[in-house]
Amino acid sequence: MDIHSINKQELTEIIEKNKLNPSEELLSAARSVRNKYYGNRIFVRGLIEFTNYCKNNCFYCGIRAGNKNARRYRLTEEEIMQCCDEGNRLGFNTFVLQGGEDGYFTDEKICGIVSRIKSKYPDCAVTLSIGEKTRESYKAYRDAGADRYLLRHETANNGHYKRLHPKEMLLENRKQCLYTLRELGFQVGAGFMVGSPYQTSEMLAEDLIFLRELQPHMVGIGPFIPHCDSIFADRQAGTLQLTLTMLALVRLTLPKTLLPSTTALGTIDPEGREKGFDAGANVVMPNLSPTSVRGDYALYNDKICTGDESAQCVKCLRGRIERAGYVMDMGRGDSLTI
Ligand code: SF4
């Protein structure tokens, strides 16, 4: 199947055909492509969720500004450094600083934290995931030493984007941010929810076409899972089968991209992450945040691994990866995408 030249209609048909039960042909094609470029290694990133304050109100999110039930927290710079120290002790070479769009963390503060991590751990990659910012802000982060930036586009269809976000949030702006980040030399991660409210197979095909155009270095996709305090509290979660179908199709669309098997996938199915590897994924992102705040970074309900110490998480993940027939790689794991 040459997925690179097929159109939206044909992609939609493939998604429709596989969405309830991804075919072995599709999954094994995705595995072969992943193995061709990355072998059977699964890269590990240390995730530090450093603030759950956010000025936005995305309808699907448990930490949106309008949720008065969320218990808010911010880590101090010292606490963030302690997470990195613990990560370094455990062998991590990538730190992902993720948070809501929190005005408390000014560009100056973010740049200060990034430079401090990079001077203490110069061989490590620093990834930021802190939302939509201006070109100037992104440039400042890059100059401070940040290597990568994750910004999920969530859906590439404008009408769908409007049904998932308040009117002040614009898909056009989000896409522009992704192109700007790429231009500034970041390794860029886009991504989307699978099974979100109002989503159709045709919209998922549009996501693949957008990714084909953007050529991101990473793609984070996971099932939509409702949060009890979000606008979509009573919606159905996305399914394992459709998520595996989309993981495999992303892998075939972007052979050299880095593709996480997400915590959300592990939340909807106890073997979800292992099944993700078998659909072409090759990254996991265990949590390095202090256990005292992990449960409060609740984008969705029933998130797994909120209670275990980081060392415990790494041990558990290594076991899972090896039992599934893969090798855990704690190196920087840069993307082969140019
Ligand atoms: S999805 Fe992100 S930007 Fe939207 S409300 Fe949640 S944390 Fe904020």
Side-chain angles (χ1 to χ4, degrees):
M1 177 192 328
D2 182 11
I3 203 162
H4 301 98
S5 53
I6 64 180
N7 63 26
K8 185 164 99 179
Q9 171 73 26
E10 290 163 315
L11 282 169
T12 305
E13 281 164 20
I14 296 173
I15 296 166
E16 276 293 307
K17 202 171 128 208
N18 286 278
K19 70 179 185 183
L20 298 178
N21 187 16
S23 70
E24 188 43 41
E25 187 195 353
L26 175 67
L27 299 176
S28 96
R31 280 197 298 277
S32 308
V33 168
R34 189 261 330 275
N35 290 346
K36 177 172 172 195
Y37 292 103
Y38 290 103
N40 65 345
R41 290 170 301 152
I42 305 295
F43 299 103
V44 184
R45 319 308 199 187
L47 179 64
I48 304 168
E49 293 162 335
F50 68 99
T51 171
N52 73 349
Y53 283 83
C54 186
K55 69 176 169 99
N56 293 328
N57 256 311
C58 304
F59 299 158
Y60 45 84
C61 180
I63 61 168
R64 67 200 171 87
N67 180 12
K68 301 296 174 228
N69 295 328
R71 199 172 62 168
R72 304 287 169 177
Y73 73 89
R74 290 185 180 108
L75 299 187
T76 62
E77 187 173 322
E78 286 316 310
E79 286 171 324
I80 294 170
M81 288 311 296
Q82 282 162 17
C83 294
C84 294
D85 294 343
E86 171 71 354
N88 177 259
R89 202 180 59 75
L90 293 169
F92 284 84
N93 280 292
T94 294
F95 301 118
V96 181
L97 299 182
Q98 188 162 71
E101 292 194 19
D102 179 3
Y104 169 85
F105 284 98
T106 57
D107 289 352
E108 204 186 335
K109 284 198 177 82
I110 295 288
C111 290
I113 294 166
V114 170
S115 328
R116 204 167 148 193
I117 299 172
K118 290 296 281 193
S119 39
K120 190 159 186 190
Y121 301 113
D123 296 334
C124 289
V126 172
T127 305
L128 292 175
S129 176
I130 51 175
E132 294 178 23
K133 307 279 177 182
T134 62
R135 183 187 185 90
E136 290 65 41
S137 298
Y138 288 147
K139 175 143 189 353
Y141 308 154
R142 183 86 185 107
D143 291 346
D147 305 273
R148 304 173 183 156
Y149 203 101
L150 306 180
L151 181 67
R152 284 184 175 199
H153 63 281
E154 302 301 1
T155 171
N157 177 284
N158 197 34
H160 189 212
Y161 193 89
K162 284 182 197 296
R163 300 186 85 174
L164 301 180
H165 300 92
K167 61 176 182 325
E168 61 276 13
M169 293 181 74
L170 302 173
L171 176 61
E172 197 187 313
N173 192 45
R174 188 154 296 205
K175 284 185 173 174
Q176 187 51 55
C177 285
L178 284 162
Y179 282 108
T180 302
L181 286 160
R182 220 185 183 298
E183 225 179 280
L184 290 170
F186 281 96
Q187 292 175 44
V188 175
F192 55 93
M193 285 179 293
V194 177
S196 59
Y198 314 113
Q199 189 179 57
T200 62
S201 296
E202 195 177 351
M203 289 169 186
L204 287 167
E206 286 176 50
D207 284 312
L208 294 174
I209 289 168
F210 171 63
L211 292 175
R212 205 194 262 170
E213 281 160 18
L214 177 68
Q215 293 284 315
H217 304 80
M218 304 163 274
V219 180
I221 69 174
F224 159 76
I225 303 177
H227 187 281
C228 59
D229 290 321
S230 76
I231 314 288
F232 296 138
D234 57 352
R235 297 295 182 136
Q236 290 276 314
T239 64
L240 173 76
Q241 289 75 12
L242 183 54
T243 309
L244 296 178
T245 298
M246 294 313 298
L247 278 171
L249 287 171
V250 170
R251 170 58 69 205
L252 293 175
T253 304
L254 299 170
K256 296 181 184 174
T257 206
L258 289 161
L259 190 58
S261 197
T262 58
T263 305
L265 193 54
T267 299
I268 60 162
D269 185 288
E271 302 284 310
R273 282 173 295 184
E274 291 84 337
K275 291 173 184 169
F277 305 149
D278 287 344
N282 64 344
V283 175
V284 282
M285 292 170 61
N287 211 314
L288 289 176
S289 313
T291 46
S292 57
V293 299
R294 270 193 223 166
D296 296 327
Y297 201 88
L299 304 183
Y300 54 84
N301 284 135
D302 303 323
K303 187 173 169 189
I304 53 168
C305 307
T306 54
D308 298 329
E309 292 297 334
S310 307
Q312 199 56 38
C313 278
V314 172
K315 201 171 147 207
C316 161
L317 265 180
R318 186 183 293 279
R320 281 175 171 269
I321 289 169
E322 288 174 0
R323 279 193 301 277
Y326 297 90
V327 174
M328 187 168 177
D329 189 323
M330 306 268 303
R332 266 178 64 111
D334 285 301
S335 176
L336 298 175
T337 307
I338 299 164

